[in-house]
Amino acid sequence: MAATAASPAVGSSSLSFLRSKRSSRALQPRMAVRSASAVTQILTKLQKDCATPLPILRHVADAMANDMRAGLAFDGGSDLKMILSYVDSLRTGVDFVRFGGDERDEKGLFYALDLRGTNFRVLRVQLGGQERRVIATESEQVPIPQELMCATSEELFDFIASGLAKFVEKKGGEFCLLPGRKRELGFTFSFPVKQTSIDSGILINWTKGFAVSGTPGRDVVACLNEAMRRQGLDMQVSALVNDAVGTLAGARYWDDDVMVAVILGTGTNACYVERTDAIPKMAASNSQSGTTIVNTEWGAFSTGLPLTEFDEEMDAESINPGEQIFEKTISGMYLGEIVRRVLLRMTETGSLFGSSIPEKLQTPFSLRTPHICSMHQERSSDLEAVGSVLYNEAGVDSDTEAREIVLEVCDTIVKRGGRLAGAGIVGILEKMEEDTKGRIFGKRTVVAMDGGLYENYPEYRKYLQDAVMELLGPELSEKVVMEHSKDGSGIGAALLAAANSKYRHST
Ligand code: ADP
Ligand code: MG
């Protein structure tokens, strides 16, 4: 650090990412007021603090596996809640998704509701049984107004139920309810829930910026059922499904090799197929297949992560300090905000963008992950697109040097995020393999991936895959397939509603 502090200009050693993208070019500060050494010092320290060489990845993967075991031992045993999904409890589970039996004979119209971070999605699917499988699907997305994220539970659920009612009213040619049946819904709820059965669960706490009063401690299925009743909507929740669990169930309907599902969107989570006899905290299981899906809630993981002062400050000012540290390091809600904090510091102490510090740059979450992503795509030599994002979103004027530094910061934060996510995935795979040799490695294993961050950020995806490859080596990683399962959780939830239909045993 001392060496770089003395360096008069931005050190080229810290610009590896740009060097690989553009011809190397000396960086000469144009703005007299910029303190290149102060900026370099921050950048160099950031890169050092965020570094994820193989030993750190290894440590994170091992810690993930250990924390999984501890969370499976008893409730509260680790940061990882390792929530049982109740999928495949008796024959009302997803045995048709081939956990035990081999039935894909569900028929009829089923609905799904996915309460996500920034929006909710409604979906209907017409199932045609084993032969025809999915006949038709239709979905709609509704943004959740910012103010509802801090409203009362009734207000939030009424808004959702009314959106659902509007969707149901729309006629669709291929969609029809079997005679005499009530509409049934799979409810995907992407927040930590203590599930008490396949169709009930208590909200433990909100995450991803939600702070709705009155829901924690309540059964979210009851909250939704009551709101649907208030809206005059004749529908019942047949399955409560975590979004990662829904993604796994949806992907596995088509592909038996799916063993893990990972969501990387506003927040993050992962789930996997576990043997019931490897779950000490599970009461005597009457599972027929001997397996179930465990929802890790890995966003709460925190062991051995390479963190910076910027992460610590962001966490301290968040609505859930000390919680969801992995999520705050790798997920879409936070990557842009970490970058903003670094740029603000570089401006305050090194006048990165000149002497003024615009209010936008000082505003938390003004710079969001999609902005970081669009800057990261820049290929032109003067970085004009970076400049306009910075101007529009952070209110700053920038010269080429400043833009290059901004790109370095983005790359540093995104690289750390993607690589740590990859290490987490390897931790899960290794835990499964250690319990049952040959279960994961040496055969094709699919990790179903979904979420807006994974879907839209190619550099993030690349870093994630690099880490998996580095950790597993070329031979093992070749058979680990990361498959984008776009919006799989909606179909998965509808399938689980069908598998758990109240009419299941009447034909
Ligand atoms: P949610 O996680 O809110 O349920 P999504 O899975 O659609 O919903 O993810 C949305 C998140 O994905 C956004 O909050 C953002 O962080 C990230 N995201 C969306 N678009 C992009 C993009 N173009 N580049 C990078 N990240 C994106
Ligand atoms: Mg989501």
Side-chain angles (χ1 to χ4, degrees):
M1 196 168 72
T4 54
S7 154
V10 174
S12 60
S13 64
S14 60
L15 293 167
S16 51
F17 154 68
L18 281 169
R19 260 212 318 267
S20 66
K21 284 179 85 167
R22 270 176 285 280
S23 62
S24 60
R25 186 151 49 89
L27 298 176
Q28 290 153 4
R30 271 208 317 252
M31 281 189 248
V33 284
R34 178 179 309 148
S35 163
S37 66
V39 169
T40 307
Q41 199 177 4
I42 295 169
L43 180 59
T44 307
K45 177 156 191 331
L46 181 78
Q47 289 173 322
K48 185 166 155 268
D49 292 348
C50 289
T52 49
L54 193 54
I56 289 192
L57 293 180
R58 179 83 266 150
H59 181 65
V60 167
D62 290 347
M64 182 67 75
N66 286 337
D67 284 6
M68 286 170 71
R69 280 182 212 290
L72 289 170
F74 58 93
D75 276 339
S78 101
D79 284 342
L80 299 196
K81 295 198 177 75
M82 305 303 284
I83 296 170
L84 308 181
S85 63
Y86 287 86
V87 165
D88 191 12
S89 54
L90 299 171
R91 289 183 59 77
T92 51
V94 281
D95 38 357
F96 73 103
V97 197
R98 291 220 248 176
F99 276 59
D102 190 14
E103 298 174 37
R104 302 186 199 216
D105 64 346
E106 275 64 21
K107 292 193 179 91
L109 172 61
F110 293 92
Y111 288 84
L113 167 73
D114 186 356
L115 178 57
R116 330 180 82 185
T118 43
N119 53 59
F120 72 86
R121 220 162 68 92
V122 287
L123 171 139
R124 55 182 158 195
V125 51
Q126 191 77 32
L127 295 177
Q130 186 137 28
E131 291 284 288
R132 299 179 66 198
R133 305 256 187 121
V134 173
I135 296 172
T137 63
E138 188 176 26
S139 70
E140 246 177 50
Q141 194 151 300
V142 183
I144 299 174
Q146 194 74 35
E147 64 270 19
L148 279 183
M149 292 169 71
C150 307
T152 67
S153 196
E154 282 75 19
E155 285 166 333
L156 176 67
F157 281 97
D158 277 343
F159 178 78
I160 293 164
S162 113
L164 186 57
K166 282 184 202 130
F167 178 71
V168 167
E169 276 163 28
K170 287 186 190 151
K171 294 276 171 285
E174 288 165 298
F175 299 97
C176 62
L177 207 57
L178 293 177
R181 285 193 177 193
K182 193 176 164 129
R183 294 184 196 96
E184 292 185 277
L185 175 89
F187 181 18
T188 306
F189 190 75
S190 343
F191 300 91
V193 158
K194 166 104 177 117
Q195 197 133 0
T196 40
S197 72
I198 187 74
D199 61 0
S200 65
I202 309 292
L203 176 67
I204 300 169
N205 55 271
W206 289 108
T207 54
K208 297 186 276 188
F210 273 76
V212 172
S213 62
T215 332
R218 285 209 61 201
D219 177 6
V220 293
V221 171
C223 291
L224 180 59
N225 278 332
E226 285 160 20
M228 291 194 296
R229 216 171 304 130
R230 284 195 294 271
Q231 297 294 321
L233 176 60
D234 189 25
M235 187 184 282
Q236 70 184 18
V237 177
S238 295
L240 174 65
V241 185
N242 170 270
D243 63 342
V245 174
T247 300
L248 202 161
R252 197 166 165 121
Y253 188 62
W254 305 102
D255 186 342
D256 295 332
D257 292 338
V258 177
M259 295 299 257
V260 180
V262 174
I263 306 291
L264 290 158
T266 305
T268 182
N269 194 13
C271 70
Y272 71 107
V273 180
E274 183 58 286
R275 287 180 13 232
T276 51
D277 62 6
I279 312 177
K281 72 178 178 183
M282 191 176 190
S285 157
N286 34 24
S287 154
Q288 295 207 326
S289 64
T291 57
T292 185
I293 301 177
V294 173
N295 164 17
T296 65
E297 288 296 336
W298 83 354
F301 176 73
S302 66
T303 313
L305 297 174
L307 299 177
T308 68
E309 60 198 296
F310 305 102
D311 300 296
E312 278 152 23
E313 287 163 16
M314 179 180 73
D315 175 52
E317 290 169 33
S318 71
I319 56 167
N320 52 351
E323 289 168 26
Q324 300 293 109
I325 303 299
F326 197 44
E327 179 159 279
K328 285 170 180 160
T329 317
I330 72 167
S331 84
M333 177 160 171
Y334 302 99
L335 298 179
E337 171 63 6
I338 302 168
V339 170
R340 183 197 68 84
R341 284 173 177 272
V342 177
L343 299 184
L344 178 61
R345 177 73 49 82
M346 287 177 162
T347 308
E348 285 169 347
T349 55
S351 303
L352 176 64
F353 303 113
S355 50
S356 77
I357 307 175
E359 196 166 324
K360 267 191 183 171
L361 183 61
Q362 301 179 56
T363 308
F365 296 95
S366 55
L367 203 57
R368 308 201 72 103
T369 304
H371 305 135
I372 304 302
C373 177
S374 78
M375 291 196 283
H376 219 153
Q377 308 310 310
E378 173 79 88
R379 296 290 179 271
S380 80
S381 63
D382 63 353
L383 306 178
E384 201 183 320
V386 173
S388 58
V389 171
L390 289 171
Y391 182 77
N392 293 330
E393 310 306 332
V396 296
D397 286 315
S398 56
D399 58 16
T400 309
E401 287 85 355
R403 294 170 193 172
E404 295 195 336
I405 290 160
V406 170
L407 282 185
E408 278 290 331
V409 174
C410 294
D411 190 64
T412 304
I413 299 303
V414 168
K415 183 176 188 175
R416 178 185 66 165
R419 286 172 66 82
L420 290 175
I425 292 171
V426 170
I428 294 179
L429 294 173
E430 289 184 342
K431 192 278 174 198
M432 296 169 80
E433 174 74 11
E434 273 165 30
D435 285 2
T436 316
K437 288 274 167 286
R439 183 155 179 238
I440 297 298
F441 299 136
K443 61 183 258 305
R444 181 174 176 270
T445 293
V446 177
V447 181
M449 309 288 303
D450 199 15
L453 175 62
Y454 184 81
E455 186 179 350
N456 295 303
Y457 210 146
E459 287 75 14
Y460 186 97
R461 270 200 311 270
K462 166 82 169 51
Y463 286 135
L464 186 156
Q465 274 149 3
D466 286 350
V468 171
M469 165 85 170
E470 283 173 36
L471 278 165
L472 295 181
E475 212 169 295
L476 294 185
S477 63
E478 199 184 335
K479 287 185 170 155
V480 173
V481 184
M482 312 268 186
E483 220 158 62
H484 183 200
S485 166
K486 189 169 166 48
D487 296 335
S489 71
I491 299 266
L495 289 167
L496 290 169
N500 194 50
S501 167
K502 309 287 184 241
Y503 309 99
R504 188 177 157 79
H505 297 290
S506 63
T507 24

